[in-house]
Amino acid sequence: MKESFRRSMAWLHTWAGLTFCWILYFMFVTGTLGYFDTEIDHWMEAESPAPQTTQSASVEQNLSAAVGWLSREAEGADSWFIALPDDRNEPHLRTFWRAPPPEEEGEERKTGNDRLDSITGEPLAEAARDTGGGQALYRMHYALHYIDGGAAFRFIGIVALFMFIGLVTGVVIHRKIFADMFTFRGAAPAKRAWLDAHNLLSVASLPFQLMITYSGLLFTVTTWMPAIALGSYGFNIERAAEALRVVADVQVERTGEPAELAPLMPIVADAASQWGGEDAIRGLDVRMPGDAAARVSVSRKAGIGVIAEQRVYDGVTGQYLETLDPTSRAPIAAASVMLGLHEGLYAGALLRWFYFISGLLGAGMVATGAIYWSAKRRRKSVADADHSRGFRFVEAMNIGTILGLPIAIAAYFWSNRLLPLGLEGRPDWEMHCLFITWGLCLLYPLTRPRLAAWRELAWLGAGAFAALPVINAATTEVHLINSLRAGDWVLASFDLTALAFGLIFALTAKKIGGRADSAERLSPAPQPTEATAA
């Protein structure tokens, strides 16, 4: 009975992973890059100013600069939002504003979004190049591309469910799960070596994979299984809406009676005294500035979670009114922490590298699983011509996806440096370059022997990544040497990481070349025909 159950779980594990293995690999690779999306943005916006933080200006200076700018540029707006400079997630003082709804139907509502100098209050120079940046890569792991956003989100939710099933069944079928973490027989036949690699990568990153998959399911579950969320409130929509009211923005109706906005620094000081200092302040949301009904909400930094409390003040008198704390509800607090763990926005540099490496291990887990499945069935495909054609397609997809996707991402970075700065729709063309390159990489293995395709695409990847710092130096002033001189470790780390990936691809190509040479030496010599013997 036990063995029958384990065989059933093994079958479920295999097909839960293989059904969407190429999409899962795509999600892992692009999602992993998202942990450094801000740093990638900085590199791809080559002309962008160096980040400013609270170390260069006080909270009072930042507020003064922001209010001065908004008073001039956003007079009569319905709302202001001031994001104080903090860390990598918001390195600049930033202001947002939104005008009242347009009177005539069809007109767009005016808005503003500006990065300001914390001292002068003037807008920072915008990057000369229009780019999708790291944000475009990050969004692809849940929204895909060229696909309707709603449909993509629902599809990704189903893929995440299959991934979770694969993880759980993988734990069930591995009786020696900890031994697998320390077992790798690289000298064994290919099938056994790939299985060992799959087990090692899976077990080494198992806690991360469980967390990232389960928290990802929380993102998507309400889009295709809304009854799960609604069932917590007895399927009563009114109760659910009331429970979620504390998550919504403060709603204020304009009275039409003008009134001067209260000084913001005393309001911030009061909130800071409750939260342990000014470092706990994330930003301010001002509703109906200049009106008697004005409200000022001071939001707190969320820590690990993505939701935090806010203190609401009268925007005219500065009097404290109430505290809205969504995390006082246990379900919202739990969801906030899980989603925060998934996004990793709270993480410092060292922990983000841990996220990044764990994500790469996840991509490797999916890749080695797909390769092991092929290696296990390769002998059968040689004997069966009909099976061989389908098998050949699967192997080509493995090669074109596992090596082709990183090469396509390198092409995305190349396009950022090589496309004309004034090109219309430049961010779209960066993405087109990515997918065109990936498409070519998917087709290439169909034209070459298996090991040759692996080796040649690996060498292409080595060249594509190793040449990135060279392309950067030839087209911009933010190349590696200048970055190191300026102490800009974000830009320098990008170039150094590209060189590291180039080296990894080169070592991989060399290893594959050695295997190909061994295969040629071990293959039987062709038997002479009668004509040859004669």
Side-chain angles (χ1 to χ4, degrees), residues 112-204:
N113 181 354
D114 300 286
R115 295 182 300 179
L116 305 179
D117 185 292
S118 298
I119 306 300
T120 67
E122 294 301 315
L124 296 172
E126 293 298 324
R129 66 190 65 214
D130 195 11
T131 176
Q135 298 299 318
L137 291 174
Y138 165 73
R139 285 193 297 270
M140 280 202 303
H141 94 279
Y142 64 86
L144 304 180
H145 201 68
Y146 304 121
I147 299 175
D148 174 73
F153 202 62
R154 287 188 288 272
F155 174 68
I156 289 301
I158 295 171
V159 174
L161 179 60
F162 272 71
M163 175 68 184
F164 192 68
I165 292 171
L167 288 172
V168 173
T169 52
V171 172
V172 172
I173 64 178
H174 284 288
R175 288 175 294 187
K176 300 178 180 179
I177 191 168
F178 292 105
D180 288 339
M181 187 173 178
F182 302 99
T183 302
F184 179 66
R185 289 158 284 193
K191 183 174 69 173
R192 169 54 62 182
W194 284 119
L195 178 60
D196 284 350
H198 177 68
N199 291 339
L200 188 152
L201 294 173
S202 302
V203 176

XYZ file of all heavy atoms in Angstrom, residues 112-204:
713
model
N 0.631 63.944 -11.838
C 2.053 64.273 -11.857
C 2.840 63.253 -11.065
O 2.342 62.688 -10.083
N 4.062 63.002 -11.490
C 4.936 62.040 -10.828
C 6.359 62.528 -11.039
O 6.892 62.444 -12.142
C 4.733 60.654 -11.437
C 5.599 59.596 -10.780
O 6.448 59.897 -9.936
N 5.401 58.348 -11.165
N 6.977 63.087 -9.987
C 8.270 63.750 -10.144
C 9.249 63.314 -9.065
O 8.873 63.116 -7.908
C 8.111 65.271 -10.073
C 7.196 65.809 -11.170
O 7.634 65.856 -12.326
O 6.036 66.156 -10.854
N 10.498 63.178 -9.472
C 11.602 62.987 -8.529
C 12.247 64.340 -8.289
O 12.573 65.052 -9.244
C 12.622 61.990 -9.088
C 12.080 60.591 -9.259
C 13.142 59.632 -9.763
N 13.687 60.018 -11.053
C 14.637 59.347 -11.699
N 15.152 58.261 -11.148
N 15.081 59.752 -12.878
N 12.438 64.690 -7.020
C 12.920 66.031 -6.679
C 14.275 65.993 -5.989
O 14.614 65.014 -5.294
C 11.915 66.726 -5.751
C 10.470 66.845 -6.229
C 9.639 67.546 -5.162
C 10.387 67.580 -7.557
N 15.014 67.057 -6.151
C 16.215 67.274 -5.364
C 15.785 67.676 -3.957
O 15.007 68.612 -3.778
C 17.064 68.375 -5.998
C 18.390 68.562 -5.272
O 18.375 69.027 -4.113
O 19.422 68.260 -5.876
N 16.271 66.953 -2.954
C 15.823 67.186 -1.583
C 16.217 68.557 -1.041
O 15.602 69.034 -0.087
C 16.398 66.099 -0.657
O 15.924 64.832 -1.028
N 17.238 69.183 -1.629
C 17.709 70.469 -1.133
C 17.056 71.623 -1.884
O 16.496 72.543 -1.278
C 19.246 70.570 -1.251
C 19.909 69.362 -0.550
C 19.732 71.873 -0.654
C 19.607 69.235 0.921
N 17.095 71.574 -3.211
C 16.583 72.691 -4.011
C 15.090 72.604 -4.279
O 14.452 73.611 -4.578
C 17.311 72.755 -5.363
O 16.955 71.594 -6.152
C 18.818 72.780 -5.167
N 14.526 71.408 -4.202
C 13.105 71.233 -4.495
C 12.790 71.214 -5.976
O 11.622 71.198 -6.363
N 13.806 71.209 -6.824
C 13.600 71.177 -8.268
C 13.624 69.735 -8.765
O 14.265 68.863 -8.163
C 14.676 71.996 -8.978
C 14.604 73.491 -8.687
C 13.260 74.092 -9.096
O 12.790 73.763 -10.212
O 12.705 74.871 -8.308
N 12.931 69.468 -9.879
C 12.923 68.099 -10.408
C 14.310 67.653 -10.853
O 15.075 68.452 -11.400
C 11.961 68.157 -11.601
C 11.400 69.515 -11.634
C 12.111 70.383 -10.673
N 14.608 66.390 -10.606
C 15.863 65.826 -11.076
C 15.774 65.585 -12.579
O 14.695 65.332 -13.118
C 16.146 64.498 -10.364
C 16.366 64.582 -8.858
C 16.432 63.195 -8.252
C 17.634 65.362 -8.530
N 16.913 65.660 -13.242
C 16.938 65.421 -14.686
C 16.495 63.991 -14.971
O 16.962 63.042 -14.325
C 18.347 65.656 -15.224
N 15.594 63.827 -15.907
C 15.122 62.511 -16.278
C 16.133 61.832 -17.195
O 16.912 62.481 -17.890
C 13.759 62.601 -16.984
C 12.633 63.078 -16.088
C 12.371 62.132 -14.923
O 12.504 60.903 -15.117
O 12.056 62.624 -13.833
N 16.107 60.510 -17.179
C 17.019 59.753 -18.031
C 16.734 60.048 -19.500
O 15.581 60.216 -19.900
C 16.869 58.256 -17.762
N 17.813 60.127 -20.287
C 17.644 60.431 -21.708
C 17.006 59.272 -22.448
O 16.281 59.469 -23.417
C 19.001 60.761 -22.330
N 17.247 58.068 -21.989
C 16.735 56.901 -22.709
C 15.458 56.385 -22.053
O 15.351 56.300 -20.827
C 17.790 55.806 -22.793
C 18.200 55.178 -21.483
C 19.414 54.292 -21.682
N 20.565 55.097 -22.082
C 21.516 54.666 -22.911
N 21.464 53.459 -23.413
N 22.526 55.457 -23.232
N 14.487 56.081 -22.894
C 13.241 55.488 -22.432
C 13.455 53.984 -22.399
O 13.910 53.385 -23.380
C 12.110 55.858 -23.401
C 10.737 55.589 -22.808
O 10.660 55.311 -21.594
O 9.747 55.638 -23.557
N 13.144 53.350 -21.297
C 13.449 51.931 -21.144
C 12.427 51.248 -20.256
O 11.835 51.879 -19.368
C 14.859 51.736 -20.551
O 15.093 50.339 -20.326
C 15.015 52.473 -19.236
N 12.236 49.953 -20.503
C 11.383 49.159 -19.618
C 12.076 48.831 -18.317
O 11.437 48.609 -17.295
N 13.417 48.789 -18.349
C 14.190 48.571 -17.140
C 13.952 47.218 -16.496
O 13.406 46.279 -17.085
N 14.368 47.126 -15.241
C 14.169 45.900 -14.482
C 12.718 45.639 -14.156
O 12.314 44.492 -13.944
N 11.903 46.722 -14.116
C 10.491 46.541 -13.795
C 9.790 45.698 -14.856
O 8.913 44.883 -14.544
C 9.803 47.909 -13.689
C 10.337 48.807 -12.587
C 10.165 48.194 -11.220
O 9.128 47.610 -10.921
N 11.177 48.322 -10.382
N 10.155 45.880 -16.132
C 9.525 45.110 -17.208
C 9.851 43.625 -17.071
O 8.988 42.761 -17.285
C 9.980 45.634 -18.565
N 11.107 43.313 -16.710
C 11.479 41.917 -16.502
C 10.731 41.326 -15.315
O 10.243 40.189 -15.366
C 12.986 41.803 -16.266
C 13.894 42.094 -17.463
C 15.348 42.091 -17.013
C 13.679 41.081 -18.566
N 10.630 42.095 -14.234
C 9.942 41.618 -13.032
C 8.466 41.335 -13.308
O 7.928 40.298 -12.902
C 10.094 42.658 -11.916
C 9.143 42.464 -10.769
C 9.324 41.428 -9.864
C 8.053 43.317 -10.583
C 8.453 41.240 -8.809
C 7.178 43.137 -9.537
C 7.379 42.095 -8.651
O 6.506 41.905 -7.617
N 7.808 42.256 -14.028
C 6.374 42.070 -14.289
C 6.098 40.836 -15.142
O 5.025 40.240 -15.036
C 5.799 43.313 -14.960
C 5.598 44.493 -14.029
C 4.749 45.567 -14.675
N 5.396 46.123 -15.854
C 6.210 47.166 -15.839
N 6.509 47.760 -14.679
N 6.757 47.629 -16.952
N 7.058 40.459 -15.972
C 6.829 39.310 -16.846
C 6.620 38.014 -16.078
O 5.972 37.096 -16.581
C 7.998 39.136 -17.813
C 7.948 40.069 -19.006
S 8.925 39.458 -20.400
C 10.538 39.269 -19.659
N 7.150 37.904 -14.872
C 7.063 36.618 -14.184
C 5.650 36.329 -13.687
O 5.347 35.180 -13.340
C 8.086 36.556 -13.039
C 7.582 36.947 -11.691
N 7.460 38.258 -11.288
C 7.175 36.200 -10.630
C 7.010 38.298 -10.052
N 6.823 37.067 -9.628
N 4.785 37.347 -13.673
C 3.390 37.083 -13.309
C 2.402 37.583 -14.361
O 1.254 37.125 -14.388
C 3.053 37.708 -11.946
C 3.124 39.216 -11.903
C 2.041 39.989 -12.262
C 4.283 39.859 -11.480
C 2.106 41.383 -12.211
C 4.360 41.235 -11.428
C 3.268 41.996 -11.794
O 3.337 43.370 -11.747
N 2.809 38.518 -15.223
C 1.902 39.062 -16.235
C 2.256 38.601 -17.642
O 1.548 38.918 -18.594
C 1.911 40.595 -16.176
N 3.372 37.839 -17.771
C 3.852 37.368 -19.078
C 4.026 38.574 -20.006
O 4.391 39.640 -19.568
C 2.897 36.317 -19.645
C 2.644 35.105 -18.721
C 1.687 34.120 -19.373
C 3.948 34.419 -18.331
N 3.775 38.403 -21.302
C 3.914 39.514 -22.244
C 3.109 39.157 -23.485
O 2.919 37.977 -23.796
C 5.386 39.725 -22.602
C 5.685 41.097 -23.130
N 5.613 42.228 -22.336
C 6.043 41.547 -24.351
C 5.924 43.286 -23.055
N 6.180 42.900 -24.291
N 2.630 40.192 -24.171
C 1.795 40.026 -25.366
C 0.478 39.299 -25.055
O -0.181 38.800 -25.962
C 2.535 39.231 -26.471
C 3.852 39.803 -26.892
C 5.016 39.049 -26.780
C 3.957 41.094 -27.403
C 6.248 39.560 -27.166
C 5.181 41.619 -27.800
C 6.324 40.845 -27.670
O 7.532 41.354 -28.060
N 0.113 39.194 -23.796
C -1.092 38.476 -23.396
C -1.916 39.389 -22.502
O -1.366 40.168 -21.719
C -0.752 37.165 -22.641
C 0.049 36.225 -23.549
C -2.012 36.459 -22.157
C 0.529 34.976 -22.850
N -3.243 39.290 -22.605
C -4.112 40.061 -21.730
C -3.736 39.824 -20.270
O -3.546 38.676 -19.839
C -5.575 39.665 -21.974
C -6.527 40.316 -20.985
O -6.763 41.537 -21.105
O -7.016 39.605 -20.087
N -3.630 40.931 -19.509
C -3.163 40.828 -18.129
C -4.014 39.936 -17.253
O -3.495 39.129 -16.479
N -5.347 40.038 -17.374
C -6.221 39.210 -16.549
C -6.081 37.736 -16.857
O -5.987 36.893 -15.946
N -6.042 37.399 -18.140
C -5.891 36.004 -18.539
C -4.535 35.462 -18.099
O -4.432 34.324 -17.617
C -6.055 35.875 -20.051
N -3.481 36.275 -18.251
C -2.140 35.851 -17.843
C -2.087 35.595 -16.345
O -1.494 34.601 -15.894
C -1.114 36.907 -18.230
N -2.726 36.470 -15.571
C -2.691 36.330 -14.119
C -3.387 35.044 -13.673
O -2.900 34.327 -12.802
C -3.355 37.547 -13.487
C -2.936 37.801 -12.069
C -1.615 38.072 -11.766
C -3.852 37.773 -11.038
C -1.207 38.321 -10.464
C -3.464 38.015 -9.726
C -2.141 38.284 -9.438
N -4.524 34.726 -14.311
C -5.229 33.492 -13.970
C -4.414 32.267 -14.375
O -4.347 31.268 -13.647
C -6.605 33.477 -14.632
C -7.607 34.430 -13.983
C -8.995 34.225 -14.543
N -9.106 34.716 -15.914
C -9.418 35.971 -16.235
N -9.644 36.852 -15.272
N -9.504 36.338 -17.489
N -3.787 32.343 -15.554
C -2.971 31.222 -16.011
C -1.785 30.987 -15.078
O -1.470 29.845 -14.714
C -2.479 31.499 -17.436
C -1.509 30.489 -17.961
C -1.908 29.191 -18.229
C -0.177 30.830 -18.177
C -1.000 28.248 -18.707
C 0.730 29.904 -18.658
C 0.314 28.607 -18.928
N -1.120 32.065 -14.662
C 0.019 31.944 -13.757
C -0.425 31.338 -12.423
O 0.325 30.578 -11.793
C 0.679 33.321 -13.551
C 1.409 33.757 -14.818
C 1.636 33.307 -12.374
C 2.491 32.804 -15.278
N -1.640 31.646 -11.987
C -2.155 31.045 -10.759
C -2.262 29.535 -10.875
O -1.925 28.796 -9.932
N -2.705 29.048 -12.021
C -2.804 27.602 -12.240
C -1.409 26.977 -12.282
O -1.168 25.907 -11.699
C -3.578 27.321 -13.548
C -5.026 27.791 -13.401
C -3.533 25.840 -13.892
C -5.822 27.754 -14.683
N -0.473 27.648 -12.939
C 0.908 27.148 -12.998
C 1.494 27.071 -11.590
O 2.166 26.095 -11.234
C 1.767 28.053 -13.901
C 3.235 27.624 -13.855
C 1.262 28.011 -15.336
N 1.239 28.092 -10.765
C 1.747 28.089 -9.390
C 1.158 26.924 -8.598
O 1.847 26.311 -7.766
C 1.424 29.415 -8.710
N -0.119 26.606 -8.851
C -0.740 25.473 -8.163
C -0.047 24.172 -8.549
O 0.235 23.322 -7.684
C -2.232 25.412 -8.502
C -3.017 24.260 -7.865
C -2.961 24.338 -6.348
C -4.463 24.269 -8.349
N 0.256 23.982 -9.833
C 0.977 22.787 -10.271
C 2.364 22.732 -9.633
O 2.842 21.660 -9.258
C 1.086 22.774 -11.794
C -0.081 22.123 -12.487
C -1.319 22.727 -12.520
C 0.054 20.882 -13.089
C -2.399 22.141 -13.147
C -1.014 20.276 -13.727
C -2.252 20.904 -13.757
N 3.004 23.890 -9.513
C 4.318 23.937 -8.881
C 4.226 23.502 -7.427
O 5.071 22.735 -6.932
C 4.870 25.363 -8.977
C 6.180 25.578 -8.240
S 7.554 24.679 -8.991
C 8.864 25.060 -7.832
N 3.206 23.972 -6.736
C 3.044 23.612 -5.324
C 2.783 22.111 -5.176
O 3.320 21.461 -4.277
C 1.898 24.420 -4.714
C 1.828 24.342 -3.216
C 2.804 24.911 -2.429
C 0.782 23.676 -2.593
C 2.750 24.831 -1.038
C 0.712 23.595 -1.215
C 1.702 24.168 -0.431
N 1.971 21.553 -6.068
C 1.723 20.107 -6.048
C 3.033 19.356 -6.276
O 3.320 18.354 -5.604
C 0.683 19.725 -7.121
C -0.689 20.295 -6.751
C 0.594 18.207 -7.288
C -1.721 20.167 -7.847
N 3.840 19.847 -7.223
C 5.121 19.206 -7.481
C 6.039 19.230 -6.272
O 6.732 18.247 -5.986
N 6.054 20.326 -5.537
C 6.899 20.424 -4.346
C 6.447 19.462 -3.250
O 7.256 18.749 -2.645
C 6.892 21.855 -3.818
C 7.655 22.898 -4.640
C 7.389 24.297 -4.087
C 9.147 22.617 -4.646
N 5.136 19.442 -2.985
C 4.612 18.596 -1.913
C 4.835 17.125 -2.243
O 5.286 16.338 -1.394
C 3.115 18.890 -1.678
C 2.526 17.888 -0.691
C 2.930 20.310 -1.162
N 4.535 16.724 -3.477
C 4.733 15.323 -3.848
C 6.220 14.972 -3.877
O 6.594 13.828 -3.586
C 4.105 15.040 -5.217
O 4.583 16.001 -6.184
C 2.590 15.130 -5.150
N 7.071 15.943 -4.196
C 8.507 15.691 -4.158
C 8.990 15.361 -2.762
O 9.835 14.478 -2.578
N 8.456 16.058 -1.762
C 8.800 15.761 -0.365
C 8.337 14.358 0.007
O 9.038 13.605 0.691
C 8.180 16.813 0.575
C 8.377 16.405 2.031
C 8.785 18.184 0.324
N 7.146 13.973 -0.473
C 6.581 12.663 -0.132
C 7.432 11.533 -0.698
O 7.703 10.534 -0.017
C 5.129 12.553 -0.648
C 4.603 11.127 -0.481
C 4.233 13.530 0.094
N 7.878 11.653 -1.944
C 8.550 10.530 -2.598
C 10.017 10.398 -2.214
O 10.620 9.350 -2.444
C 8.429 10.626 -4.134
C 9.155 11.856 -4.677
C 6.971 10.634 -4.550
C 9.117 11.970 -6.179
N 10.603 11.441 -1.619
C 12.014 11.365 -1.238
C 12.133 10.891 0.202
O 12.004 11.662 1.149
C 12.694 12.724 -1.409
C 12.983 13.071 -2.834
N 13.972 12.452 -3.565
C 12.398 13.952 -3.673
C 13.989 12.946 -4.788
N 13.045 13.858 -4.883
N 12.390 9.612 0.368
C 12.543 9.068 1.724
C 13.866 9.504 2.349
O 13.991 9.588 3.556
C 12.479 7.529 1.655
C 11.092 6.987 1.375
C 11.092 5.496 1.189
N 11.814 5.081 -0.018
C 11.846 3.834 -0.475
N 11.209 2.873 0.178
N 12.511 3.536 -1.568
N 14.862 9.764 1.528
C 16.179 10.181 2.031
C 16.432 11.620 1.610
O 17.432 11.933 0.950
C 17.266 9.264 1.488
C 17.079 7.805 1.886
C 18.169 6.940 1.270
C 17.994 5.479 1.652
N 19.043 4.625 1.035
N 15.522 12.510 2.008
C 15.558 13.873 1.494
C 16.818 14.621 1.919
O 17.392 15.382 1.137
C 14.282 14.631 1.936
C 14.191 15.964 1.183
C 14.221 14.810 3.444
C 12.846 16.626 1.325
N 17.311 14.377 3.124
C 18.514 15.086 3.565
C 19.775 14.472 2.957
O 20.737 15.183 2.651
C 18.599 15.100 5.087
C 17.522 15.931 5.723
C 16.434 15.345 6.340
C 17.591 17.315 5.672
C 15.430 16.125 6.904
C 16.592 18.097 6.232
C 15.509 17.494 6.847
N 19.764 13.154 2.745
C 20.892 12.524 2.068
C 21.015 13.028 0.639
O 22.127 13.194 0.108
C 20.730 11.009 2.085
N 19.873 13.306 -0.002
C 19.882 13.795 -1.381
C 20.594 15.138 -1.502
O 21.125 15.481 -2.556
C 18.446 13.942 -1.905
C 17.794 12.591 -2.174
O 18.535 11.609 -2.341
O 16.546 12.523 -2.196
N 20.581 15.894 -0.400
C 21.198 17.218 -0.425
C 22.719 17.117 -0.552
O 23.374 18.058 -1.018
C 20.820 17.984 0.841
C 21.273 19.429 0.858
S 20.607 20.303 2.291
C 21.361 21.909 2.068
N 23.281 15.984 -0.159
C 24.738 15.837 -0.164
C 25.197 14.744 -1.134
O 26.306 14.235 -1.008
C 25.225 15.509 1.253
C 24.838 16.543 2.273
C 23.738 16.348 3.097
C 25.550 17.724 2.375
C 23.370 17.310 4.023
C 25.187 18.682 3.303
C 24.096 18.483 4.127
N 24.330 14.402 -2.089
C 24.661 13.350 -3.046
C 24.689 13.911 -4.455
O 23.683 14.426 -4.942
C 23.617 12.204 -2.974
O 23.575 11.683 -1.652
C 23.996 11.099 -3.950
N 25.854 13.843 -5.066
C 25.947 14.202 -6.481
C 27.024 13.353 -7.117
O 28.206 13.469 -6.787
C 26.275 15.682 -6.667
C 26.400 16.061 -8.124
C 25.298 16.018 -8.958
C 27.626 16.430 -8.656
C 25.408 16.342 -10.299
C 27.747 16.765 -9.994
C 26.630 16.711 -10.823
N 26.599 12.471 -8.015
C 27.521 11.559 -8.695
C 27.753 12.065 -10.113
O 27.138 11.589 -11.069
C 26.953 10.142 -8.689
C 26.984 9.503 -7.312
C 26.000 8.383 -7.160
N 24.639 8.891 -7.006
C 23.603 8.143 -6.612
N 23.772 6.885 -6.315
N 22.407 8.675 -6.507
N 28.639 13.049 -10.222
C 28.870 13.660 -11.520
C 29.495 12.723 -12.523
O 29.323 12.892 -13.734
N 30.225 11.719 -12.039
C 30.868 10.784 -12.947
C 29.937 9.654 -13.368
O 30.298 8.826 -14.203
C 32.117 10.201 -12.281
N 28.734 9.609 -12.789
C 27.770 8.558 -13.121
C 27.204 8.801 -14.511
O 27.404 9.855 -15.107
C 26.660 8.549 -12.078
N 26.486 7.805 -15.073
C 25.809 8.034 -16.348
C 24.922 9.270 -16.284
O 24.455 9.668 -15.215
C 24.972 6.754 -16.531
C 25.711 5.714 -15.749
C 26.305 6.435 -14.584
N 24.679 9.875 -17.459
C 23.986 11.170 -17.512
C 22.667 11.148 -16.766
O 22.337 12.091 -16.042
C 23.778 11.575 -18.967
N 21.909 10.068 -16.933
C 20.585 10.013 -16.303
C 20.703 10.134 -14.787
O 19.977 10.912 -14.162
C 19.903 8.696 -16.691
C 18.493 8.545 -16.159
C 17.835 7.285 -16.693
C 18.481 6.041 -16.115
N 17.748 4.813 -16.496
N 21.606 9.373 -14.193
C 21.777 9.415 -12.735
C 22.329 10.759 -12.284
O 21.911 11.311 -11.270
C 22.709 8.276 -12.311
C 23.205 8.333 -10.863
C 22.072 8.427 -9.868
N 21.195 7.280 -9.922
C 20.098 7.161 -9.165
N 19.764 8.151 -8.335
N 19.330 6.102 -9.264
N 23.274 11.333 -13.044
C 23.862 12.617 -12.664
C 22.813 13.724 -12.674
O 22.783 14.572 -11.771
C 25.012 12.970 -13.610
N 21.939 13.736 -13.691
C 20.900 14.773 -13.748
C 19.889 14.600 -12.621
O 19.396 15.591 -12.073
C 20.199 14.748 -15.102
C 21.004 15.353 -16.208
C 21.455 14.737 -17.341
C 21.477 16.700 -16.273
N 22.193 15.607 -18.105
C 22.220 16.822 -17.481
C 21.374 17.806 -15.443
C 22.831 18.013 -17.869
C 21.990 18.994 -15.821
C 22.700 19.101 -17.010
N 19.577 13.354 -12.258
C 18.657 13.133 -11.139
C 19.277 13.623 -9.836
O 18.604 14.281 -9.023
C 18.307 11.647 -11.029
C 17.371 11.276 -9.858
C 16.038 12.014 -9.967
C 17.162 9.768 -9.801
N 20.559 13.341 -9.633
C 21.236 13.828 -8.424
C 21.238 15.354 -8.379
O 21.011 15.967 -7.325
C 22.671 13.308 -8.385
C 22.751 11.843 -7.982
O 21.718 11.292 -7.549
O 23.836 11.250 -8.110
N 21.511 15.976 -9.535
C 21.519 17.446 -9.579
C 20.134 18.002 -9.266
O 20.012 18.999 -8.528
C 21.980 17.918 -10.962
N 19.105 17.375 -9.810
C 17.731 17.817 -9.552
C 17.398 17.693 -8.065
O 16.852 18.616 -7.457
C 16.764 16.977 -10.387
C 15.324 17.299 -10.147
N 14.754 18.509 -10.516
C 14.326 16.578 -9.551
C 13.478 18.509 -10.179
N 13.192 17.359 -9.592
N 17.758 16.558 -7.461
C 17.481 16.348 -6.035
C 18.249 17.337 -5.172
O 17.706 17.918 -4.221
C 17.850 14.916 -5.630
C 16.924 13.882 -6.234
O 15.802 14.209 -6.637
N 17.381 12.645 -6.319
N 19.525 17.538 -5.500
C 20.360 18.441 -4.703
C 19.812 19.868 -4.746
O 19.664 20.523 -3.694
C 21.788 18.391 -5.219
C 22.869 19.108 -4.419
C 24.217 18.432 -4.638
C 22.991 20.575 -4.807
N 19.514 20.362 -5.937
C 18.991 21.727 -6.064
C 17.635 21.870 -5.396
O 17.324 22.904 -4.804
C 18.892 22.107 -7.546
C 20.222 22.232 -8.298
C 19.978 22.440 -9.778
C 21.064 23.369 -7.734
N 16.814 20.828 -5.491
C 15.473 20.882 -4.901
C 15.529 20.962 -3.383
O 14.869 21.795 -2.760
C 14.660 19.658 -5.324
O 14.563 19.560 -6.728
N 16.344 20.075 -2.786
C 16.403 20.008 -1.322
C 17.128 21.233 -0.759
O 16.727 21.794 0.265
C 17.092 18.706 -0.873
C 17.244 18.682 0.643
C 16.297 17.498 -1.347
N 18.181 21.686 -1.432
C 18.951 22.826 -0.934
C 18.107 24.083 -0.836
O 18.332 24.925 0.039
C 20.160 23.066 -1.830
